[in-house]
Structure formats: C-alpha cells, structure tokens
Amino acid sequence: MLELRGLSKHFGGVKALDGLDLSVREGEIFGLIGPNGSGKSTAINLICGVYAESAGTVRFSGQVMNGKAPHERLRAGIARTFQNIRLFPNLTVWQNLWVAQNSPRDVAAQGFLSRWFGATRRTRRELAELLELADLGHKGDELASNLAFGEQRRLEFARAAAARPRLLLLDEPAAGMSRQEIEDLGGRIRGLRDSGVTILLVEHVMELVMGVTEQIAVLNFGKKIAFGTPGEVQRNEAVQEAYLGTSASDSGAAGEGA
Amino acid sequence: MSYYLGLLQLIGVHTLLGLSAYVLMLTGQLSLGQAGFFAIGAYSAGILTVIFELPILPALLAGALIAAFFAFLVGFPALRVKGLMLVVATIAFSEFVRLFFFNLSWRVPRGDIHVGPDSTNGFREIRYFVANGWSAWEITTFVWIFVILVMAALWWMDRSRAGAVLRAVGEDELAAQSAGINLTAVKVTAMTAGGFIAGIGGALYAHTATYVDHLTFTVLLATFAISYPILGGLSSVFGTLVAVIFIQGVLVEGLRFLGDWRNIVFGLLIIAAMNLKPSGLFDARTTLLLRRSVGLGGRE
Ligand SMILES: Nc1ncnc2c1ncn2[C@@H]1O[C@H](COP(=O)(O)OP(=O)(O)OP(=O)(O)O)[C@@H](O)[C@H]1O
Ligand SMILES: [Mg+2]
C-alpha cells in the first residue's frame, strides 16, 4: 500500500534521510523506530508531502505521490499526527474535527452549500461519534487550547481519523502519556486498524511499539539498519548498538530494545 | 444633523473597509492592499454612474466585482509571501493603484462641462445621489443596508464550516494542509471576498463624498483598514464595528483639535491596545463566555 524507494532528504549537509526503502502492506500496523535524530519525523514529512524529497519516490496504492501537496495526499488517503501536537487552539474541539472532514467521500456526499455553510445531520452524527470514540463527548464546545495534554493528543488522533484515511502516520503519539493512557492509545490504534486503516507508527515507547506492531523498521542516521518482526528487531545486534550508542536514558527506548 | 449623518456614512464605509481586512486576517494574512481594492471600487463605480450613466445598484455591484477580480489576481502571488513581506507587497499594490488613478484622465462632455476622472485634479461630480434627489437620510440608510448585509453574511459565514476553515488556516497552515485543507483555494477565496467587500465600501464612499482623488487612497487608509480588526479582535465582526466607531467617531472626530498630533496619538493607541490585549478587545475565550452566558451555546 505504501512503497518508499530510495527516499532521501538532505538539509544542507545533513542527510536526515538517506535512501530509505520501505513497504507497508495494507491493513498492518508498521513500526518505525530509531534513536533521536535518526530521520523518523523526516520520513513522515516526506510521505505526507510537507517536505519535498531530495531523491527517491513515495508510492501510495500504486500512485506516485511525488510533487503532490499535503492536502492532495490527504485526499488520496494519507493522514497524520504531529510529534508536537498541532491543533487549532482557538477553535472548539468540535470545529477541529469539522474542518478535517475532507475525504473524497465526504466531499461527494455533501453539496457545496451544505459542505461549507451547513452541517447535515449525518455530519453531526459522524462528528459526535468521533468525539465519543475520543472520549471527548462532553468537551465538544471547549476550545482546543483548554484541553489537558492527554485530551489534546486524543483530539489530534480523532482529527486525523475524521479525514477517513486509508493510511495513518502517527509521530510519537505516546510521548508524555501515562502508562494508562498509553494502554488506551494501543487500543485506539488497534481499533482503527480493525476498521481497515493501515498504520505507520513512529514511537519511542517500546512497550507500545512491541505490543501493537506486526513489522518494524529501524532507522539510524537516516538509514534503515534493521527490519523484521518485533521479536527479530529486539534481538538484532545492530539495533542494540544503535540504541546504546546514543543516550539510551533520554529516549527511554533501549529498556526493552536492548 | 447632516454632520452626524455624514459621520454615520463614514463609519459605515470604514466598517466595510475594516471587514474586508477582517476576512483576510482570519486566514492569517495581513494586507495593506485594501486601500487599493477600495480605490478600484470607488473609481469603477464612479465611472459607471458618471460616464456610463448607470444606476447606482449595478454600478456598485460592478465596482465590487472589478475590485474582487483584482484581489483574486493579487491573491496568487500573495500566497508566496508571508507576514511582513506580504505587508510590503500589498503596500506596493495599493501604491500602484493609487498612481494609476493619479494618472488616469477620462473626460467626457456632459452638457457644457466635462466629467470623469481628471488625473491630479481628482474625480469630481460623482453626483448620482444629488442628481436623483436623495436626501441625506436616504443615502445613510442605503450605506447601512450594505453594511448590515455584509456583516450578517460574514457573521453567518463565521459560524459555518467555512469560517472554521478560514480560522484553521490562520491558526496553523501546516496543520490545516495536513488535515486536507487546500491553502491556495482558501487564501485566494478570502482575498477575493475581501476585495469584493472593499470594493462595495469604495463605491459607496465615492458616491457619498461625490469627490475622490488619489490622496484618498494612501497607505494611511490601508493602515486604518487593518487597525479596525486588530483593535476589535477576530472573534466576531462586531469587534470591527466597535473599533470603527471608536476610531472614527471618538478618536478622529474627538481629537480633531490636536491637528497632526492626532496621528501620533492614534499610533500610540494602537500599540497600547496590541500590547495590552494582543487578541483585540474580544478574544475567542471572551466571546465563547459571552455566548454561553446568554444561552446560545458555543457550537456553530
Ligand atoms: N527542517 C529541518 N532543517 C534542518 N535540519 C533538519 C530539519 N528537520 C530535521 N532536521 C535534521 O534531520 C535529522 C533527522 O531529524 P528527524 O526530526 O527526522 O529525527 P527523528 O528521528 O524524528 O528524531 P526524534 O526522535 O528526536 O523525533 C536531525 O539531525 C535533524 O536535526
Ligand atoms: Mg521526530
């Protein structure tokens, strides 16, 4: 479903991503891990079109995505969340989801007027369902900036889901979460996958990655150094070295990794 | 009495000018091009009633459409510049428009005189209202019908999904794009709508003043346009109205005795307001609070 070939991004002299090859199959939860600065966020930004690649191709459902703007890629089915939450802080929770209803299905189902100036009953129902799923049912009229950290993460996740993606890119969705919230997040990720969404998970919290993913690729200095099932990756020596070679304590990643 | 009616007309026209900047500011674009669109509306509608002898309504609509068309054209290059660069680029546009009308001479005979724009001498005899025997009351009502129509349309738009999308772009372009919003379409549409509204304002201004020249449309006018929504905040269109009444009704008129010092006081006031209340007189939180306290709920 997602094919990356020789994907590279150079920032001046820094090779943030250096010839990444990756295939994510439809319906799987795919993990992308690596020490800080190894190029994970860069990969996500290339896949969803925020950065233009220096070399290589991004292919999604057989279609080449190179040169397409982020909103076009979203409409093709690629949604994402951000490492540092990026909500619309002065919009209400409800509005944050409302503006994100941009899937071709939603566009086709609503006429121009009802899409921009009205809200059909179906829209309201669907947004209410999303709110419930995100455990924000009672917070619809709250400004996004007034939410607690965990709620903001859930809202961003729900906003991505509101676009009905076929592929969801999650950039460290568990960062800063409590153990309970992480468990909860694992459930949401699986739930979304079970409804047919393919997931690319970038994460430092190993218990989450090892718990939900089926395949994992490991990056170090912009290059893929390992690939396999969670078990295989955990036993891989190159991976253990990469994590021990960087400051293992601040990433909190090596715990289960090494 | 006619002094107050004249002031009321001016407040109405400036409210339209402020609202044209308001729409753009929702998407995070700060433009000093509004004076240019206002000028295009003023001259176009004036030419249509004076030279082509059209009635006021079609002339006004055409003036607004022509201004909107130029705003649409300006919208595309404006996408590539942000913040201060956009401010500078739009000043350049306004100045270009001003200089165009400074040089425009299009005189046609009418009876024993000539009418039409006369370059440096300005465009006189935009006398549609007088020639058709409108009273000051009728003119004022006519102006305010448009002010109310535009305010109502924007107020309604603000609470619809379209308004939320404009604001989403203004708050975080990257997040908006990533959520599937087409930045180009949204920003150019906002620019076009802003041009349309400024064009209505300009058309009304030309006919209430009966005389315009290039000096009417300087950077000062463009600064007024953006200072209304800055002072009034972006929570609702009423902030802009309140700011216009305050600046035009209280400051400009009330401080007339200060002469040129007025501009300095005006500048200081804007700076003070921006520092004390960066989000304007009413911020999003305050509005939500007000809306709830009168039982309207917070949603659309
Ligand atoms: N916009 C940018 N300009 C310059 N350099 C950048 C930019 N974005 C990333 N980099 C550099 O590219 C490298 C990879 O960064 P990236 O953010 O992709 O890492 P990451 O794997 O997501 O790290 P983390 O786990 O800390 O989020 C780093 O050396 C970073 O400094
Ligand atoms: Mg990162």
Side-chain angles (χ1 to χ4, degrees):
Chain A
M1 134 151 298
L2 178 70
E3 298 271 340
L4 308 182
R5 289 287 164 265
L7 194 62
S8 306
K9 180 69 189 177
H10 304 165
F11 293 108
V14 182
K15 291 185 173 173
L17 203 63
D18 193 8
L20 176 64
D21 295 326
L22 210 71
S23 330
V24 178
R25 289 179 308 221
E26 179 135 28
E28 78 179 336
I29 303 180
F30 191 103
L32 183 62
I33 64 172
N36 290 112
S38 56
K40 307 179 296 293
S41 294
T42 303
I44 285 192
N45 282 323
L46 289 170
I47 296 168
C48 70
V50 171
Y51 295 156
E53 59 291 310
S54 307
T57 55
V58 176
R59 204 182 281 271
F60 177 66
S61 299
Q63 247 186 311
V64 177
M65 289 286 129
N66 295 38
K68 293 203 169 170
H71 73 271
E72 295 173 305
R73 298 190 197 204
L74 183 117
R75 286 162 196 214
I78 306 176
R80 64 142 342 149
T81 64
F82 292 88
Q83 184 168 346
N84 334 304
I85 310 173
R86 297 185 79 140
L87 293 168
F88 305 118
N90 291 313
L91 296 189
T92 64
V93 169
W94 207 78
Q95 286 174 320
N96 264 273
L97 299 180
W98 202 15
V99 299
Q101 286 197 311
N102 292 308
S103 67
R105 207 185 108 186
D106 283 316
V107 175
Q110 304 164 340
F112 176 84
L113 281 180
S114 77
R115 171 166 170 70
W116 289 99
F117 299 106
T120 58
R121 193 165 294 147
R122 205 180 61 109
T123 305
R124 288 169 193 284
R125 198 188 59 232
E126 282 170 1
L127 290 182
E129 276 166 17
L130 278 170
L131 278 179
E132 281 306 324
L133 265 176
D135 264 331
L136 293 167
H138 54 297
K139 299 245 168 165
D141 293 339
E142 204 75 56
L143 290 178
S145 55
N146 287 347
L147 296 185
F149 180 79
E151 294 172 327
Q152 296 201 358
R153 283 252 182 243
R154 295 207 297 276
L155 176 56
E156 205 193 24
F157 190 88
R159 184 179 67 186
R164 302 177 189 283
R166 289 192 293 136
L167 171 68
L168 177 58
L169 315 170
L170 298 169
D171 198 351
E172 302 197 23
M177 279 190 169
S178 69
R179 189 159 285 269
Q180 177 56 46
E181 286 173 322
I182 290 173
E183 220 167 88
D184 188 58
L185 173 66
R188 283 174 208 286
I189 293 176
R190 281 203 204 88
L192 205 60
R193 192 271 308 272
D194 294 343
S195 71
V197 181
T198 309
I199 286 162
L200 179 71
L201 173 66
V202 167
E203 189 50 75
H204 279 305
V205 178
M206 284 305 142
E207 54 187 286
L208 179 63
V209 179
M210 297 303 164
V212 300
T213 60
E214 282 126 21
Q215 306 227 61
I216 297 178
V218 187
L219 289 181
N220 198 18
F221 297 113
K223 284 192 156 81
K224 186 168 74 181
I225 56 164
F227 171 71
T229 63
E232 288 164 2
V233 164
Q234 266 172 316
R235 287 189 297 275
N236 188 303
E237 270 178 34
V239 175
Q240 293 177 10
E241 246 167 62
Y243 272 100
L244 291 173
T246 63
S247 62
S249 54
D250 80 23
S251 69
E256 283 98 332
Chain B
M1 196 68 238
S2 76
Y3 164 78
Y4 289 104
L5 288 179
L7 184 57
L8 217 53
Q9 291 166 11
L10 188 75
I11 287 174
V13 164
H14 275 248
T15 301
L16 290 170
L17 183 66
L19 290 175
S20 82
Y22 173 90
V23 180
L24 277 178
M25 280 166 69
L26 288 184
T27 67
Q29 296 171 282
L30 198 60
S31 152
L32 286 181
Q34 304 319 101
F37 305 134
F38 189 83
I40 293 174
Y43 269 87
S44 308
I47 287 169
L48 287 172
T49 56
V50 172
I51 296 179
F52 294 94
E53 300 185 295
L54 246 57
I56 184 72
L57 263 181
L60 186 137
L61 193 67
L65 285 174
I66 294 167
F69 174 71
F70 279 95
F72 176 77
L73 294 184
V74 167
F76 286 97
L79 287 172
R80 266 180 242 125
V81 289
K82 283 202 189 102
L84 220 52
M85 282 312 292
L86 179 62
V87 172
V88 172
T90 47
I91 287 183
F93 169 77
S94 279
E95 282 298 286
F96 172 80
V97 171
R98 188 175 68 79
L99 290 176
F100 175 80
F101 289 125
F102 176 67
N103 287 302
L104 178 72
S105 183
W106 183 357
R107 309 284 287 165
V108 295
R110 184 80 71 241
D112 42 3
I113 54 163
H114 279 71
V115 294
D118 187 12
S119 62
T120 47
N121 295 322
F123 184 1
R124 292 167 195 280
E125 302 107 16
I126 311 177
R127 295 169 59 80
Y128 179 88
F129 289 138
V130 185
N132 288 280
W134 291 42
S135 72
W137 274 106
E138 287 167 332
I139 298 170
T140 310
T141 310
F142 187 74
V143 168
W144 276 87
I145 284 172
F146 286 95
V147 176
I148 289 166
L149 278 178
V150 169
M151 276 182 79
L154 288 182
W155 192 76
W156 176 66
M157 185 281 298
D158 239 346
R159 351 188 79 218
S160 71
R161 181 169 176 277
V165 168
L166 292 185
R167 286 167 190 275
V169 170
E171 299 222 323
D172 190 333
E173 290 191 4
L174 180 55
Q177 267 189 308
S178 302
I181 294 170
N182 182 346
L183 284 191
T184 306
V186 168
K187 286 179 150 190
V188 173
T189 305
M191 188 67 96
T192 309
F196 186 81
I197 297 168
I200 300 178
L204 289 170
Y205 176 78
H207 287 87
T208 55
T210 72
Y211 167 73
V212 291
D213 68 9
H214 70 105
L215 288 174
T216 319
F217 311 106
T218 56
V219 175
L220 184 65
L221 188 73
T223 314
F224 270 123
I226 58 166
S227 52
Y228 302 135
I230 288 176
L231 211 64
L234 294 179
S235 287
S236 99
V237 289
F238 296 110
T240 298
L241 176 66
V242 171
V244 174
I245 294 173
F246 179 68
I247 291 178
Q248 289 300 330
V250 179
L251 277 191
V252 174
E253 291 305 308
L255 301 179
R256 204 170 272 288
F257 67 92
L258 285 177
D260 281 347
W261 288 94
R262 215 169 40 166
N263 288 338
I264 294 175
V265 174
F266 174 65
L268 287 177
L269 233 116
I270 300 263
I271 292 170
M274 280 165 62
N275 280 306
L276 295 176
K277 205 118 175 32
S279 46
L281 297 177
F282 305 98
D283 60 10
R285 279 179 192 78
T286 332
T287 323
L288 203 70
L289 199 86
L290 290 172
R291 222 184 283 164
R292 277 206 192 131
S293 53
V294 294
L296 275 171
R299 184 177 303 173
E300 48 128 285

